[in-house]
């Protein structure tokens, strides 16, 4: 047995020993608590209640920092909700399950996901949608659905949840519909990043844009999500992948993800969609927008070829933004689409994304540029704020 599998087996044995704890008792474990907007997280001993009906308690082994965590931690342009435990990209093991949970058991390797799949609503039953009515992302809710209460507390004071996951805690409680069971042989320190941004970008290309082999693809925004979209274009066999970004420092990194050409809109005195149309004899076959900037969205749509071009919007715009383009761009048979979590159903589809990694179709390691122990979690925020790297993995046992 290799060292990594032996270590995993030991961890599972240790976790299974905790399953016999009384289910009506809270237990204290370390968690990184955000007490105020923009202030460093504080490692606290937090009481974590046992799972109730249709909930599971997870031991988080690895978590990573996504820009969404930083956005809501800064609390700019939104209603602040504090104290709170952030985190939503993670990998862990089921420690215990609540009443009614039948498809997960202690010891299962899982990825918690910020959106869910109840498997009962019209969206979940549709092959065309992944937008679950019950468990769709809700950034304003800081409590569990079952009883409207938090499972976290410190000396009786409730600590709010974040998007139903709160993975910056050694133990967390999650609705069963937001937990994807995965191959136990997958390295959790790698595949943890698949539970949000990487899958979002990958799926936007593979599931929504669907470029054909030999096609041309433009990617707007070369952050982690955009590079994952480029990775999807690479996997699909695109012949040209054009990266569009205002930061020239991102261009060299993007080559690792299959990007073949680069365009910086600041280098031209005309709209970037015109530049791309000239480069590609009328426009690209597919484009994927990953910035949330409304002008980038318009450019992504207008740079696709008439007759067959498809543009996919991934980035989230400001609430007051409005998309404006001439109707002839649609009448000339350009298609505009949007996507949520790459059109992946978390419980049904995420295991197959992990298998792409296991089969060496998807290269996950190149997205991970930093790693820190849990005690230094604030360094991960520093890296993100400085624009240094793509994903920082946080080791919960260190």
């Amino acid at each position: 047995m290799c060292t990594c599998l032996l270590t995993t087996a030991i961890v599972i044995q240790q976790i299974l020993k905790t399953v016999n704890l009384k289910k009506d008792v809270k237990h204290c474990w370390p968690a990184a608590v955000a007490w105020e907007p923009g202030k460093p997280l504080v490692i606290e001993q937090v009481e974590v209640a046992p799972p109730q009906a249709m909930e599971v308690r997870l031991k988080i082994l690895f978590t990573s920092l996504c820009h969404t965590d930083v956005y809501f931690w800064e609390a700019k342009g939104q209603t602040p909700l504090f104290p709170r435990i952030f985190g939503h990209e993670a990998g862990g093991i089921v420690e215990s399950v609540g009443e009614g949970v039948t498809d997960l058991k202690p010891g299962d390797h899982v990825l918690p996901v910020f959106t869910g799949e109840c498997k009962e609503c019209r969206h979940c039953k549709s092959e065309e949608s992944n937008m679950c009515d019950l468990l769709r992302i809700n950034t304003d809710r800081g409590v569990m659905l079952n009883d409207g209460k938090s499972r976290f507390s410190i000396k009786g004071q409730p600590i709010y949840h974040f998007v139903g996951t709160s993975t910056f805690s050694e133990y967390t409680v999650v609705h069963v519909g937001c937990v994807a069971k995965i191959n136990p042989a997958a390295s959790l320190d790698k595949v943890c990043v698949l539970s949000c941004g990487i899958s979002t970008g990958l799926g936007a290309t593979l599931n929504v844009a669907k470029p054909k082999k030999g096609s041309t693809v433009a990617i707007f925004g070369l952050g982690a999500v955009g590079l994952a979209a480029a990775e999807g274009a690479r996997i699909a066999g695109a012949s040209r992948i054009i990266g569009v970004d205002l930061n020239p420092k991102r261009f060299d990194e993007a080559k690792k993800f299959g990007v073949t050409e680069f365009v910086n809109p600041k280098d031209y005195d005309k709209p970037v969609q015109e530049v791309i149309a000239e480069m590609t004899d009328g426009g690209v076959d597919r484009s994927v927008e990953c910035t949330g900037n409304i002008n980038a969205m318009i450019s992504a749509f207008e740079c696709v070829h008439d007759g067959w071009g498809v543009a996919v919007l991934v980035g989230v715009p400001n609430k007051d933004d409005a998309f404006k383009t001439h109707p002839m761009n649609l009448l000339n048979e350009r298609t505009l689409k949007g996507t949520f979590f790459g059109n992946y159903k978390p419980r049904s589809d995420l295991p197959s994304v992990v298998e792409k990694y296991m089969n060496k179709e998807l290269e996950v390691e190149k997205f991970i540029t930093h790693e820190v122990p849990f005690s230094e979690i604030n360094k991960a925020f520093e890296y993100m704020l400085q624009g240094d790297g793509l994903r920082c993995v946080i080791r919960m046992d260190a």
Side-chain angles (χ1 to χ4, degrees), residues 284-287 301 304-311 333-336:
V284 291
D285 301 308
R286 302 288 187 268
S287 72
F301 175 56
V304 299
H305 206 290
D306 57 5
W308 62 80
V310 177
E333 300 185 7
R334 293 178 178 88
T335 300
L336 179 65

Side-chain angles (χ1 to χ4, degrees), residues 289-350:
E289 187 284 322
C290 304
T291 71
N293 179 282
I294 194 67
N295 292 321
M297 292 180 176
I298 295 169
S299 296
F301 175 56
E302 295 183 353
C303 81
V304 299
H305 206 290
D306 57 5
W308 62 80
V310 177
V312 179
L313 305 186
V314 179
V316 179
N318 292 325
K319 63 178 182 178
D320 296 325
D321 283 339
F323 188 96
K324 183 179 179 180
T325 190
H326 198 283
M328 284 305 299
N329 287 319
L330 290 161
L331 295 173
N332 285 337
E333 300 185 7
R334 293 178 178 88
T335 300
L336 179 65
K337 293 185 175 184
T339 182
F340 174 71
F341 193 50
N343 208 35
Y344 286 120
K345 293 180 184 287
R347 298 164 79 184
S348 299
D349 299 333
L350 207 50

Side-chain angles (χ1 to χ4, degrees), residues 386-398:
Q386 294 166 2
D388 186 6
L390 299 174
R391 280 293 186 267
C392 179
V393 170
I394 300 153
R395 306 188 310 276
M396 301 300 291
D397 62 349

Side-chain angles (χ1 to χ4, degrees), residues 31-36 38-44 65 69 73 82 84-87 168 374-375 377-378 381 394:
V33 178
W35 290 100
E36 298 179 64
K39 296 294 179 66
L41 307 188
V42 180
I43 306 296
E44 306 274 14
L65 180 65
D69 295 306
W73 166 73
F82 293 88
R84 203 170 200 181
I85 297 174
F86 289 101
F168 293 165
F374 186 41
S375 60
I377 189 172
N378 288 301
F381 281 75
I394 300 153

Side-chain angles (χ1 to χ4, degrees), residues 37-38 67-82 84 86 139-140 162-163 318-319:
H67 186 266
T68 301
D69 295 306
V70 176
Y71 179 76
F72 282 90
W73 166 73
E74 290 180 318
K76 296 178 179 178
Q78 76 221 216
T79 303
L81 189 61
F82 293 88
R84 203 170 200 181
F86 289 101
T139 58
D140 293 330
F162 179 63
V163 295
N318 292 325
K319 63 178 182 178

Side-chain angles (χ1 to χ4, degrees), residues 36-58:
E36 298 179 64
K39 296 294 179 66
L41 307 188
V42 180
I43 306 296
E44 306 274 14
Q45 289 295 315
V46 176
E47 293 180 355
V48 184
Q52 295 192 13
M54 303 308 291
E55 297 174 359
V56 296
R57 188 160 61 187
L58 309 178

Side-chain angles (χ1 to χ4, degrees), residues 58-332:
L58 309 178
K59 178 177 174 62
I60 300 299
L61 298 180
F62 300 93
T63 186
S64 60
L65 180 65
C66 172
H67 186 266
T68 301
D69 295 306
V70 176
Y71 179 76
F72 282 90
W73 166 73
E74 290 180 318
K76 296 178 179 178
Q78 76 221 216
T79 303
L81 189 61
F82 293 88
R84 203 170 200 181
I85 297 174
F86 289 101
H88 64 284
E89 281 190 354
I93 299 175
V94 175
E95 178 264 342
S96 58
V97 302
E99 181 183 353
V101 177
T102 58
D103 55 352
L104 289 173
K105 64 183 184 304
D108 284 344
H109 285 217
V110 296
L111 301 181
V113 186
F114 66 91
T115 185
E117 181 185 355
C118 72
K119 297 191 175 183
E120 298 295 331
C121 70
R122 290 186 65 190
H123 283 280
C124 286
K125 291 180 178 180
S126 169
E127 294 182 357
E128 300 181 50
S129 175
N130 67 336
M131 302 184 72
C132 176
D133 282 329
L134 178 67
L135 300 170
R136 194 178 306 181
I137 184 173
N138 185 327
T139 58
D140 293 330
R141 186 174 60 232
V143 294
M144 299 299 290
L145 285 172
N146 184 281
D147 59 359
K149 297 180 180 179
S150 174
R151 301 290 174 264
F152 301 115
S153 62
I154 298 178
K155 297 179 180 179
Q157 178 184 1
I159 309 297
Y160 292 112
H161 294 248
F162 179 63
V163 295
T165 52
S166 292
T167 61
F168 293 165
S169 177
E170 186 174 337
Y171 282 81
T172 188
V173 177
V174 182
H175 191 285
V176 66
C178 296
V179 180
K181 181 180 176 180
I182 64 168
N183 187 337
S187 301
L188 288 172
D189 60 331
K190 304 297 189 298
V191 298
C192 64
V193 301
L194 294 177
S195 59
C196 181
I198 309 308
S199 293
T200 295
L202 185 74
T205 301
L206 294 179
N207 299 335
V208 186
K210 298 180 180 179
K212 297 178 181 179
K213 187 174 182 179
S215 61
T216 55
V217 180
I219 307 294
F220 285 73
L222 299 178
V225 176
L227 292 176
E231 181 80 352
R234 181 191 67 79
I235 292 172
S239 61
R240 297 174 68 182
I241 304 174
I242 302 170
V244 183
D245 201 290
L246 297 174
N247 185 356
K249 293 181 180 179
R250 290 180 169 175
F251 293 166
D252 284 338
E253 185 75 21
K255 294 177 183 177
K256 300 176 185 177
F257 299 84
V259 175
T260 57
E261 300 159 69
F262 309 100
V263 174
N264 186 336
K266 292 190 295 185
D267 293 340
Y268 301 88
D269 56 4
K270 55 186 173 183
V272 69
Q273 53 266 46
E274 295 181 13
V275 175
I276 293 174
E278 291 174 2
M279 292 172 60
T280 56
D281 191 24
V284 291
D285 301 308
R286 302 288 187 268
S287 72
V288 184
E289 187 284 322
C290 304
T291 71
N293 179 282
I294 194 67
N295 292 321
M297 292 180 176
I298 295 169
S299 296
F301 175 56
E302 295 183 353
C303 81
V304 299
H305 206 290
D306 57 5
W308 62 80
V310 177
V312 179
L313 305 186
V314 179
V316 179
N318 292 325
K319 63 178 182 178
D320 296 325
D321 283 339
F323 188 96
K324 183 179 179 180
T325 190
H326 198 283
M328 284 305 299
N329 287 319
L330 290 161
L331 295 173
N332 285 337

